Amino acid sequence: MNDPVLDISGLTVDFGGVPAVRGVDLHLGRGEVLGLVGESGSGKSVTALAAMGLLPAAAHVGGSVRLDGAELVGAGDKALSRVRGNRVAMVFQDPLSAFTPVYRIGDQIVEAIRTHQDLSREKAAARAVELLDLVGIPEPRLRAAAFPHEFSGGMRQRAMIAMAVANNPDVLLADEPTTALDVTVQAQILDVLRTARRETGAALLLVSHDLGVIAGMADRVAVMYAGRIVETAPVDALFAAPRMPYTLGLIGAVPRLDADAEGRLEPLVPIPGAPPAPGALPPGCAFAPRCPLAEDRCRETEPLLTAAGRAGKATHPAGAADPAHLAACVRAEEVGALRPLDVFPVPGTDGALRKAGPGGGRPVADDVLRVTDLARTFPLLKGAIVKRRVGSVHAVDGVDLDIRAGEVLGLVGESGSGKSTTLFEILELRPPERGSVEVLGRSVEGLTRRDARALRAGVQIVFQDPMASLDPRLPVGDIVAEPLRAQHADRALVARRVPELLRRVGLEPAHADRFPHEFSGGQRQRIGIARALAVDPRLLILDEPVSALDVSVQAGILNLLLRLRAELGLAYLFVSHDLSVVRHVADRVGVMYLGRTVETGAVAEVFARPLHPYTQALLSAVPLPDPVRERARTRILLPGDPPSPTSRPSGCPFRSRCQVFAALDPGRKERCTTQAPALAPQGGDHTAACHFPAERAVL
Amino acid sequence: MAAYVARRAGYYVALLLVAVCLSYTLAATALQPRAYFEARQPPPRPAAVDAQLTALGIDDRTPLYDRFGHWAAHAVRGDLGRTIDDTSVNDEFGRRVGVSLRLLLVGTLAGTVLGILAGAWTAVRQYRLSDRLVTVGSFLLLSTPVFLLAVLLKIGAIRLNQALGTDLIRFTGETTPGLRGGWWAHAKDRAVHLLLPSLSIGLITIATYSRYQRSTMLDVLGSDYLRTAQAKGLTRRKALLKHGLRTALIPMSTFFSYNFLAVFTGAIFTEAIFGWHGMGEWLVGSIGKDDVNSVVAVSSFAAVVVLFSGLVADVLHAALDPRIRHS
Amino acid sequence: MATAPEALLAEAASDDGLVARPPSRARVTLRRFLAHPTAVAGLAVVALLFVLAFAGPHLTRWSYSDIDYTALRSGPSARHWWGTNRIGQDVFAQTVRGLQKSLIIGLLVGVAATAGAATVGACAGYFGGWTDRLLTFVTDLLLIFPSFLVISVVSPRLKGGGWLVFALLLALFGWMITARVVRSMAISLREREFVRAARYMAVGPLRIIARHIVPNVASFLIIDATIAVGSAVMSETALSYFGFGVQPPDVSLGTLIADGTGAAITYPWMFFFAAGLLVVFVLAVNLVGDGLRDAIDPTSARRRPGRRRAR
Ligand code: SF4
Ligand code: SF4
């Protein structure tokens, strides 16, 4: 490694005595990409902010951060402001709140330029336009005059990167730069980050919770847990042979889009427990309470970050020779040879996974849900206080779904694809604007109030954000009992069911009188599931049930869902933006784009042989947590953002971004521009809505 | 933007019409101008009373809707009728409007600006001594009703005058009657008279605005964009002024209309206490005299002013916030 | 339904195990409130004033309407603790009686206005559509309608139990701004997932309002009601000062201040006791409200306009 441009050593941060970062050492070489991974609360973002001196005044920062030898910790606001945005620049997570809402994007970039460079306003404005062009914003001159709220999320993040590189910084800090974005946009932004790095030669500290993103971008990786670095290594070594059980667990907990060597999916390994509260760290290794390999000596002193795990034993055969691979674990040498499943037992896995294997065919059973050609438009309103209708948003415009009893259908699509609207339309149980909805064999046309109530017992929903979906003012027992009471269940039944349900989802009956805020995220989602199960539904609608959770907890919930389904014969409509998760739980998958279903089929079939160009692009955009394979892939980068659902283009709605269309000859293009492709069978029960379906391997 | 304002204005006009109808109905049914005339010394003849009431259009023997129709027919032509003393409501209105506006303008404008500055300043210096002093001061002011504050100021001024043995601070009416001198002497005289009433309105305005601005500013202090502004190299002070304060002003526009309502009612008391012959004093007086037409005129004026301040707030909001302007 | 398999229990028991039970919400709120010395002081003052208002009349042998012809305009003495007024009435007896009336009116108005605001706001926000349009129109109408006119026309014509009607009128014109805030909170709650969840589980709208909407705006309502008491007292005294509120022979702080104003310089005891108690009470209530706000809702604290000033 050359001389580090950014050298963080012994960094500590505490907020009013509660430690958030406890002695972090990081060295960022010139032009290097260092990935910093960790779950929420591990201190990774705080580390990045501390490096720039951007923490609130209540934070107490210790240790040292040197930029080319100059100390930043403890430097005054004046001195820091000369460095910030000039030599070190930052890209924040949420680009909407990160721009001042009242100033134009171009002006905000100009401000960044003129703060550090002595340029005239005109020259700076011209430079801002150049920068916007560099990050791939179309019509940069025009867009520079736009306000932040007029940009899409992806565009804002591009502009944020443009602003960060405005003064050719030596170091870029990116704090979860793609977390709020869709996969295809994420792929674009990562590409822009690469471009930006190429143009400026800056070193990049990439903070992320997403192992896939890290695998594709980083040269080296540091893993953070409970405020410390617990393992650091070159990216290949880290993913191939992690030496810290926590890293191993993280890798094992991520659902993967690609199958393992035998073409079989491995069960996910949930890491038991939750990270310790920062104010109440256990003695010794902070991971010990969750670590299956923990021994007595782990609980005595906190292991140091060393090459062989423990000082004085540096001559282990299994690759301990690599001085760049450090781990803070007393059993590091052994761990290097283990696989996730060896360390983290998955109780009762066998048989809990899907019954229908690849190509196993669909169950012979009744439909629990059949949706044909569903449409829903919303008025497009303008005006701040007095609204007037200026057009229509075609949120859902031709969705077909069918789920048989006991089957799991995954519904994937990016934001704005109409997934949520589809769910809500189904759940409203009212006649749709267009098309038909049949729930449990009954059409929703002409339901009486009483029928509707009875039908609601058969379909229940689990929401994305477990905190938001549980009324904070009600005890858990009442929350779980709510659907029972809505069905007029008698007291005795409620009293019997509640403990039973809590036990079924892995909570204790004694938890019934506690309030939602007393539980962790994973436990809250279990409460949500218990509530949905209360009235013995046949179909569970799961709206992004794990996307608000950390990976290690997410694995536990996914396993629970699989198990419940096997035990109770439930059917799921599983909505997710995460294709890996869908691959892991669903039998069949439906892909949505701009309010329409564009491809359906068995999961194994669609993921292995995607036919619609959008599905191909989507799959190709998902990063794999495997640096070797990730580097070897060629990515289909979709241009731009999805068009606004307010206009209904003639022909194929995907045309504006379709990579297949772009390569067609004019004669064949004609078909795409004039005729909207219908969802057509492509062999077996695989359907796709494209005039020119062609197989393409994307994984 | 223009269409937006037009729509908003349309809604306000509808509100106004209903409010005026209600005010008229209430004033015409609850007030008893007949009693006012009958109580005169010497008692007038009943026929004369009837004649007078009919002439003013407030005869309680005429059905309410007829009286209202009569009044409304004149009102749409800009004639608000006659006062109970048979003078023109319009003339009285014209005389008094200026008085009230002069009173309100100085107090609210100065109070708003100073209040916003004080609020922003204390937010930045949260929990320091200066913040605590301003906070205590504004709490104390907010706990004093306007009329009491006005009375206290008056008492203070009397004490001061007594102590100095001069008439330094004058506080009755707008001018000193029979004052001689050039325009400079008159201007000075007016300014002196304006001091206490403006203070009583202004102090309370400062207190409310500073509390509210402090809280919006505190919300902004932890915002991501303030961090971004610093991340691109602005000093904290510059980031606060250019990005923080500017954005924290947006919610103040909604507050503006609510507060104006309060200031307006407060002005009624201020006028009465300091003997200004403005709209507020007129309202109090004409309720006492059972003067239906005057009461309706003043209440309609109040409704117009409140709605107008609402419209101003809407426009201000749109002007401050591009998210509204460009939606 | 079968009982859960052991394996599942084992898995979940180890999965993110519940940390030591955090203290209950009420307790946390109390602790945060107690951490505000000014708020605690405010609460103590409010309590003291209530004791004074209700026990005070029994402490002195004078009733508020008694006239002592031997002591006109006499200063504070052992016989008349806070002196007498120009017709020989005992100022202490009058002040505590006025305080009592003002406090009762303030409490009544605060509670009634907040309850009204909660009902109107929650219904308008939750139901939306025409219900919302209608209720919003009524709210706006009452906001621009000069409440001063109604109260000052109606209340001088009331005798006897008139103060009750007067209080109700104050409440009638005191709920609108709160209702607007509740409405916007209800609109965002309506789209919250737990409300949606209830709807999809066939829970009826009124039940949703009662069980999910109102409890979730309760913290705001508590704070608001506190501050509403203070502003109701200010409105009451202001109107009474001009003779439009509490009518003689009844007294309130407002009428006492009005009577004492003219003599404030020469006979300060006639004015300053009533005026002082008024300011002290409102200040104490505001401090309690501010402390409650920080204690109940530390994140969204101080986010709304101060209440309307005295009419
Ligand atoms: S030090 Fe011990 S407890 Fe910590 S990770 Fe290693 S084996 Fe597990
Ligand atoms: S129909 Fe044409 S434009 Fe649409 S996806 Fe297929 S190839 Fe692309």
Side-chain angles (χ1 to χ4, degrees):
Chain A
M1 206 195 305
N2 53 13
D3 233 13
V5 53
L6 187 72
D7 191 349
I8 301 178
S9 60
L11 182 73
T12 58
V13 179
D14 63 83
F15 293 91
V18 178
V21 174
R22 307 178 299 130
V24 159
D25 300 306
L26 284 175
H27 314 282
L28 189 59
R30 221 165 275 284
E32 186 189 32
V33 181
L34 174 62
L36 188 57
V37 239
E39 295 183 285
S40 46
S42 61
K44 54 188 192 311
S45 295
V46 177
T47 302
L49 287 172
M52 270 186 101
L54 283 177
L55 288 171
H60 189 264
V61 183
S64 137
V65 175
R66 283 168 191 277
L67 179 73
D68 267 341
E71 182 62 52
L72 297 185
V73 170
D77 191 37
K78 267 248 157 56
L80 278 175
S81 68
R82 276 194 293 272
V83 172
R84 290 182 196 137
N86 190 17
R87 310 225 16 234
V88 188
M90 188 139 185
V91 178
F92 293 98
Q93 169 173 3
D94 182 353
L96 176 55
S97 57
F99 277 106
T100 309
V102 296
Y103 295 124
R104 298 172 195 279
I105 294 274
D107 292 346
Q108 300 197 39
I109 297 178
V110 166
E111 189 183 25
I113 298 171
R114 282 169 45 98
T115 305
H116 298 290
Q117 297 177 36
D118 194 13
L119 275 186
S120 72
R121 190 164 287 280
E122 293 72 37
K123 284 217 177 99
R127 171 88 178 117
V129 171
E130 265 171 46
L131 286 166
L132 288 175
D133 192 39
L134 173 76
V135 296
I137 287 181
E139 300 182 90
R141 198 168 301 277
L142 219 62
R143 303 300 284 165
F147 286 97
H149 72 275
E150 297 172 299
F151 269 30
S152 70
M155 299 274 267
R156 276 194 289 262
Q157 199 56 293
R158 285 170 193 264
M160 182 55 90
I161 294 173
M163 192 157 89
V165 298
N167 295 305
N168 284 319
D170 298 328
V171 177
L172 266 179
L173 306 178
D175 183 9
E176 302 269 9
T178 58
T179 301
L181 306 172
D182 284 318
V183 261
T184 59
V185 179
Q186 164 171 296
Q188 294 169 359
I189 295 298
L190 292 178
D191 202 52
V192 170
L193 265 181
R194 287 191 195 99
T195 315
R197 251 175 35 76
R198 205 173 45 238
E199 292 291 317
T200 60
L204 173 65
L205 178 67
L206 179 64
V207 177
S208 179
H209 70 283
D210 188 328
L211 287 172
V213 168
I214 295 284
M217 295 285 292
D219 304 323
R220 276 192 313 127
V221 184
V223 181
M224 261 189 107
Y225 185 78
R228 297 196 63 177
I229 306 279
V230 293
E231 180 160 8
T232 170
V235 66
D236 289 348
L238 187 102
F239 280 89
R243 293 204 193 146
M244 163 80 189
Y246 175 65
T247 315
L248 193 67
L250 270 188
I251 293 174
V254 189
R256 296 178 62 139
L257 201 55
D258 52 341
D260 65 2
E262 299 99 71
R264 201 174 48 90
L265 292 168
E266 281 197 22
L268 301 181
V269 300
I271 302 177
L281 293 173
C285 173
F287 188 59
R290 305 172 76 188
C291 180
L293 300 184
E295 298 170 345
D296 285 345
R297 56 182 173 147
C298 303
R299 297 186 191 91
E300 282 155 17
T301 46
E302 192 149 19
L304 297 173
L305 193 61
T306 51
R310 214 153 45 124
K313 272 185 95 184
T315 47
H316 197 271
D322 185 355
H325 194 157
L326 311 179
C329 174
V330 291
R331 298 178 64 176
E333 310 94 279
E334 302 160 54
V335 177
L338 298 174
R339 297 201 317 157
L341 269 179
D342 304 330
V343 177
F344 296 92
V346 181
T349 0
D350 309 336
L353 281 178
R354 281 202 298 285
K355 279 177 285 185
R362 302 184 63 180
V364 189
D366 303 337
D367 283 344
V368 286
L369 180 70
R370 171 171 288 280
V371 173
T372 355
D373 194 29
L374 179 73
R376 169 80 168 133
T377 50
F378 294 101
L380 180 63
L381 300 173
K382 270 207 165 177
I385 299 155
V386 178
K387 312 246 187 275
R388 60 191 189 280
R389 185 173 181 145
V390 294
S392 300
V393 181
H394 301 273
V396 173
D397 192 14
V399 165
D400 298 281
L401 301 173
D402 70 288
I403 305 178
R404 295 193 186 159
E407 200 174 46
V408 178
L409 174 70
L411 193 59
V412 295
E414 297 178 285
S415 48
S417 63
K419 299 174 307 222
S420 301
T421 313
T422 304
L423 290 194
F424 296 145
E425 276 307 291
I426 296 170
L427 284 163
E428 288 294 341
L429 295 187
R430 57 165 184 234
E433 228 171 77
R434 193 182 81 209
S436 69
V437 175
E438 268 176 48
V439 177
L440 304 179
R442 273 208 67 156
S443 162
V444 295
E445 305 278 342
L447 283 181
T448 64
R449 212 178 257 254
R450 178 187 282 267
D451 292 342
R453 166 146 13 91
L455 210 51
R456 290 203 185 282
V459 188
Q460 294 284 313
I461 179 164
V462 176
F463 286 98
Q464 166 176 9
D465 180 352
M467 194 63 217
S469 65
L470 307 177
D471 188 335
R473 298 298 159 102
L474 289 184
V476 165
D478 280 348
I479 290 175
V480 173
E482 188 161 36
L484 286 168
R485 297 205 175 112
Q487 296 293 339
H488 305 313
D490 59 42
R491 247 165 227 275
L493 180 67
V494 171
R496 204 178 63 237
R497 279 293 269 161
V498 170
E500 186 180 301
L501 286 162
L502 289 176
R503 218 174 295 131
R504 181 168 283 284
V505 297
L507 297 172
E508 283 160 37
H511 291 164
D513 57 356
R514 301 196 176 187
F515 287 88
H517 74 271
E518 300 178 32
F519 294 84
S520 69
Q523 287 174 318
R524 282 186 209 130
Q525 197 55 297
R526 287 172 192 265
I527 297 168
I529 294 171
R531 170 174 66 181
L533 293 178
V535 284
D536 272 327
R538 294 180 60 203
L539 171 63
L540 220 54
I541 293 187
L542 302 153
D543 185 11
E544 304 267 9
V546 292
S547 59
L549 305 175
D550 276 324
V551 262
S552 67
V553 178
Q554 159 181 323
I557 298 291
L558 290 177
N559 286 350
L560 171 71
L561 286 171
L562 285 172
R563 192 189 320 276
L564 287 172
R565 178 236 174 152
E567 283 168 18
L568 304 174
L570 293 168
Y572 293 157
L573 174 54
F574 191 104
V575 174
S576 180
H577 69 281
D578 187 334
L579 287 100
S580 321
V581 169
V582 166
R583 153 134 233 199
H584 194 79
V585 290
D587 305 319
R588 289 167 46 72
V589 62
V591 181
M592 285 185 69
Y593 185 75
L594 270 190
R596 299 163 207 231
T597 313
V598 295
E599 184 158 6
T600 65
V603 163
E605 163 78 7
V606 171
F607 279 50
R609 211 169 64 87
L611 291 175
H612 195 282
Y614 177 62
T615 316
Q616 291 167 358
L618 209 53
L619 285 169
S620 134
V622 179
L624 301 177
D626 181 338
V628 183
R629 291 175 83 160
E630 182 65 11
R631 274 197 300 265
R633 288 166 87 194
T634 46
R635 216 177 275 290
I636 307 171
L637 265 191
L638 288 184
D641 297 312
S644 144
T646 48
S647 59
R648 259 200 293 190
S650 65
C652 177
F654 186 55
R655 198 174 69 226
S656 59
R657 304 171 78 199
C658 178
Q659 72 277 14
V660 174
F661 175 75
L664 289 177
D665 55 75
R668 299 211 287 174
K669 269 188 173 146
E670 171 86 22
R671 224 177 130 199
C672 299
T673 42
T674 52
Q675 283 174 31
L679 203 57
Q682 312 284 349
D685 69 351
H686 191 167
T687 63
C690 173
H691 294 308
F692 306 103
E695 253 182 78
R696 176 166 174 181
V698 288
L699 289 180
Chain B
M1 179 70 191
Y4 158 74
V5 174
R7 259 160 196 282
R8 206 69 192 132
Y11 175 70
Y12 284 158
V13 168
L15 268 176
L16 184 63
L17 288 182
V18 179
V20 169
C21 293
L22 281 177
S23 305
Y24 190 92
T25 312
L26 185 83
T29 47
L31 295 178
Q32 285 147 354
R34 179 176 294 279
Y36 173 75
F37 283 114
E38 283 169 351
R40 282 199 172 167
Q41 289 303 331
R45 285 175 301 112
V49 172
D50 286 345
Q52 184 67 7
L53 286 174
T54 316
L56 297 176
I58 49 176
D59 190 344
D60 47 3
R61 290 168 309 165
T62 320
L64 178 64
Y65 55 86
D66 282 346
R67 274 183 275 159
F68 180 68
H70 180 78
W71 179 84
H74 283 88
V76 292
R77 273 180 269 135
D79 175 10
L80 295 170
R82 320 258 329 146
T83 68
I84 200 146
D85 301 321
D86 204 13
T87 56
S88 158
V89 170
N90 286 36
D91 291 351
E92 191 74 25
F93 195 108
R95 242 192 322 278
R96 288 173 178 271
V97 145
V99 177
S100 287
L101 286 186
R102 279 194 290 278
L103 175 71
L104 282 176
L105 220 59
V106 179
T108 36
L109 282 188
T112 307
V113 173
L114 290 177
I116 286 177
L117 289 181
W121 186 62
T122 50
V124 175
R125 307 184 53 91
Q126 196 187 6
Y127 300 139
R128 306 253 195 100
L129 184 66
S130 46
D131 173 35
R132 289 193 191 277
L133 284 181
V134 174
T135 302
V136 167
S138 51
F139 259 108
L140 208 60
L141 281 172
L142 285 176
S143 307
T144 314
V146 193
F147 80 92
L148 189 57
L149 183 66
V151 169
L152 288 174
L153 283 173
K154 207 160 139 174
I155 293 173
I158 294 174
R159 280 265 164 86
L160 188 68
N161 286 346
Q162 282 175 347
L164 295 178
T166 61
D167 243 5
L168 181 66
I169 300 177
R170 290 173 218 165
F171 43 79
T172 312
E174 266 198 281
T175 51
T176 311
L179 180 80
R180 277 169 216 267
W183 70 266
W184 173 242
H186 278 277
K188 219 174 82 182
D189 181 52
R190 274 180 179 272
V192 168
H193 279 89
L194 205 52
L195 183 66
L196 286 193
S198 295
L199 258 185
S200 60
I201 288 179
L203 280 178
I204 288 197
T205 311
I206 291 179
T208 28
Y209 274 88
S210 71
R211 288 308 292 162
Y212 195 54
Q213 179 70 61
R214 178 174 182 271
S215 72
T216 60
M217 194 70 187
L218 281 180
D219 287 346
V220 164
L221 283 187
S223 69
D224 287 358
Y225 54 80
L226 209 60
R227 199 171 59 188
T228 311
Q230 284 181 269
K232 65 182 168 190
L234 298 188
T235 54
R236 180 155 179 84
R237 177 192 199 77
K238 204 163 172 201
L240 275 174
L241 284 180
K242 192 164 172 209
H243 293 259
L245 185 57
R246 171 67 179 77
T247 317
L249 279 178
I250 295 174
M252 295 303 287
S253 61
T254 2
F255 183 57
F256 175 79
S257 68
Y258 287 136
N259 190 55
F260 201 78
L261 201 73
V263 169
F264 194 76
T265 35
I268 296 178
F269 303 128
T270 316
E271 281 178 10
I273 286 168
F274 290 108
W276 283 49
H277 305 300
M279 302 295 278
E281 189 216 43
W282 192 19
L283 180 64
V284 177
S286 45
I287 290 175
K289 286 204 278 184
D290 287 312
D291 185 350
V292 177
N293 287 343
S294 301
V295 165
V296 174
V298 186
S299 352
S300 309
F301 172 70
V304 169
V305 168
V306 169
L307 285 181
F308 185 72
S309 73
L311 198 63
V312 169
D314 289 346
V315 172
L316 218 58
H317 192 190
L320 285 174
D321 192 346
R323 286 166 293 188
I324 301 260
R325 206 156 65 226
H326 298 260
S327 72
Chain C
M1 200 189 262
T3 48
E6 294 303 290
L8 178 58
L9 254 183
E11 169 207 306
S14 56
D15 171 24
D16 42 34
L18 203 71
V19 270
R21 182 171 189 166
S24 79
R25 206 186 144 77
R27 192 160 268 175
V28 171
T29 307
L30 185 68
R31 205 177 53 217
R32 279 204 296 251
F33 184 84
L34 292 180
H36 276 255
T38 49
V40 175
L43 192 63
V45 169
V46 170
L48 271 177
L49 288 181
F50 266 89
V51 170
L52 182 65
F54 288 90
H58 304 289
L59 295 179
T60 164
R61 60 198 177 89
W62 302 100
S63 140
Y64 74 100
S65 50
D66 287 351
I67 295 175
D68 180 358
Y69 292 103
T70 65
L72 305 184
R73 298 195 181 102
S74 74
S77 64
R79 183 175 165 83
H80 295 286
W81 299 340
W82 290 1
T84 59
N85 66 8
R86 92 199 119 72
I87 57 167
Q89 290 166 316
D90 184 75
V91 173
F92 178 78
Q94 285 214 310
T95 308
V96 289
R97 168 73 187 197
L99 181 64
Q100 193 183 74
K101 187 105 294 171
S102 292
L103 292 191
I104 293 177
I105 292 179
L107 265 187
L108 203 69
V109 173
V111 170
T114 308
T119 316
V120 173
C123 287
Y126 184 76
F127 288 110
W130 278 106
T131 319
D132 181 27
R133 255 170 262 180
L134 190 77
L135 290 176
T136 304
F137 189 83
V138 173
T139 312
D140 286 348
L141 188 64
L142 281 178
L143 266 180
I144 68 157
F145 195 70
S147 53
F148 183 86
L149 172 67
V150 182
I151 298 177
S152 52
V153 166
V154 174
S155 70
R157 290 169 169 73
L158 300 164
K159 300 278 176 259
W163 67 270
L164 198 65
V165 181
F166 171 55
L168 290 179
L169 280 176
L170 277 179
L172 178 70
F173 288 101
W175 56 269
M176 292 84 71
I177 294 179
T178 310
R180 279 196 179 180
V181 180
V182 173
R183 172 179 170 269
S184 62
M185 291 170 90
I187 288 177
S188 65
L189 279 172
R190 180 177 63 185
E191 296 307 317
R192 283 279 291 279
E193 292 183 344
F194 64 84
V195 176
R196 259 179 195 276
R199 215 163 42 233
Y200 294 144
M201 279 160 202
V203 181
L206 290 179
R207 206 180 151 80
I208 289 181
I209 290 182
R211 251 179 104 80
H212 295 296
I213 306 275
V214 173
N216 277 288
V217 297
S219 54
F220 165 73
L221 290 176
I222 292 172
I223 297 159
D224 194 73
T226 312
I227 296 171
V229 171
S231 61
V233 169
M234 292 208 283
S235 303
E236 179 275 317
T237 47
L239 283 158
S240 299
Y241 180 86
F242 285 92
F244 296 129
V246 171
Q247 298 299 315
D250 228 339
V251 293
S252 87
L253 290 182
T255 62
L256 292 176
I257 292 173
D259 290 345
T261 304
I265 294 193
T266 33
Y267 310 108
W269 60 88
M270 292 190 205
F271 174 78
F272 281 103
F273 284 114
L277 282 186
L278 170 63
V279 174
V280 167
F281 174 73
V282 179
L283 180 63
V285 162
N286 283 344
L287 290 177
V288 172
D290 204 53
L292 270 180
R293 196 188 331 238
D294 283 356
I296 294 181
D297 216 354
T299 48
S300 71
R302 310 184 201 87
R303 197 161 285 175
R304 61 174 306 243
R307 289 188 58 88
R308 194 128 68 97
R309 299 286 309 159
R311 268 163 284 259

